[in-house]
Amino acid sequence: MNGRVLRIELRRSVAPWAGVVVLVPSLMFLYLLHGDWWNGTTAWTAQWTPLAMRTRSLLFYLWPLVIGLGALQGLRDHRSTMSELLTSTPRPARHRAATLAGATAITLACAFASLVLVGGVQVLAHTGYTHLGWLPVSLVGVLFLVAGAVLGMGAARALPSPLTPPALAMAAFVFTALMHMSLGRTDTSTADGLTSSEPNRISLLSPTLDDVREAFVTLSAPVHVGQTIWLLGMAATGLALLVAATPRARLIALTPVLAGAVIALLVLPADARRMYVVDKAAAELVCDGPVCVTRTQQARLADLAGPGKEALRRLRGALGDQAPDSVRENTAVLPEGSTPRWSRGTVLFDFDDDIIATAKGEELTWALIAKGMVPGCTPVGWSGFGGDEYAQTVALGWVLGDLKPLGAAAGRMRGEIEAETRPVWRELKALPRAGQLSRIRAMRAAALSCEGDPFDALSGGAAR
């Protein structure tokens, strides 16, 4: 396919519109709607891997549209009533199919690359950590778009009806929704008896991804390989349907997509922990003395080091030899709904934690002290407010000698926090030093093990 043929094909096909559908609505969605894709360490413009994962998630909506547009393109010869004329020409059908599919593939690839480029320019301004581990995630996203469009073309050539494009788009949307929800999820029970939903291997046949919870979590190599096999089979079926002239040939053309699905399911991992994995290079710790962050957040170490060391000094003065001796960004990746795991000797924190995210200077020291005393036992991926936050406030006050407002939640709910914590604070301070230490130790035991209520232990409930 030379440049002249490509230019002609682009002028007379819907390929440019397919590129517009990928690029313009995606940018409108990302920029005009407020969501978690703009917040925290997993914002789409914060790090390279979240950029790739967030843009891949847009395929939940884009992929069905691209399949529908591909089907519309596949109806072109039928609409122009020139199918018989084309079959009588000496040019092989596979050449026409390659020209048709090639123009659309190039347009879709350029559109998705432009979307990634818009985010990538902003990522360069926000982080100094650069790597290529995100690239396979985006390349497979491009392959999803191209394979979907080619399959739509072939299906419309085999079923030349005005209803084919909308029917295929709706079928693709239903498929994606089912893979992302009911059929593609497995319900499990955590140790606390809470129901958790994890992706299974079938869900990986979908173009979309799970929500991004950590900047250093990516897809494993078997996922990339399995999805590539599935998509190559899909594209091969689309091309075969474009050139098939008989019902028998059209049935045979379905073989690649079916074989690709079977082989992909054999390659794709069955365990959710082998689907979304930690990028070890990104999660590598960079330290300033006892204070460590992951390589993705290395630029924030300078602002964290001073408050972190001060927090450790304060905790040592309050707890003695039972105090933690290091501060470290939490790199544990646990299933959604599971109970967090904490260390007695290390203050583990997350930059997206409510009390850490906006804290600076002295407030950051207070937040780290609170996390060292009461890390929080809200199930992973869930949100809540209650006993853990009250216990953090009282425990911080005990270390500092006075109750202090803590984090953004304190500003919104200061009256409620004050009403709940002030009586417990007074009762705790009225005890002799040994009694205070006893309750603080009981509180920390409950908080670190996530067994029992730390605030209840502070108020003496654990002893009653």
Side-chain angles (χ1 to χ4, degrees), residues 211-227:
D211 290 337
V212 185
R213 294 207 312 261
E214 302 291 350
F216 44 79
V217 171
T218 187
L219 293 172
S220 64
V223 172
H224 297 316
V225 173
Q227 290 182 336

Side-chain angles (χ1 to χ4, degrees), residues 100-152:
L100 184 67
T104 303
I106 291 173
T107 305
L108 290 174
C110 290
F112 195 76
S114 299
L115 175 64
V116 175
L117 180 62
V118 170
V121 171
Q122 298 174 81
V123 171
L124 283 174
H126 291 155
T127 181
Y129 177 64
T130 303
H131 63 105
L132 295 178
W134 61 275
L135 198 54
V137 180
S138 293
L139 291 177
V140 172
V142 172
L143 190 54
F144 259 109
L145 292 174
V146 172
V150 174
L151 181 65

Side-chain angles (χ1 to χ4, degrees), residues 224-299:
H224 297 316
V225 173
Q227 290 182 336
T228 299
I229 293 171
W230 153 241
L231 294 172
L232 290 177
M234 186 186 300
T237 288
L239 290 172
L241 288 173
L242 278 174
V243 301
T246 65
R248 180 182 179 185
R250 295 186 182 107
L251 286 176
I252 295 175
L254 298 177
T255 303
V257 69
L258 296 176
V262 172
I263 297 173
L265 289 175
L266 294 176
V267 173
L268 293 170
D271 188 349
R273 290 170 294 184
R274 295 179 55 236
M275 299 175 189
Y276 294 86
V277 297
V278 173
D279 182 342
K280 294 182 179 179
E284 181 183 350
L285 293 178
V286 180
C287 301
D288 182 343
V291 181
C292 301
V293 298
T294 61
R295 190 167 294 279
T296 59
Q297 304 301 326
Q298 184 174 354

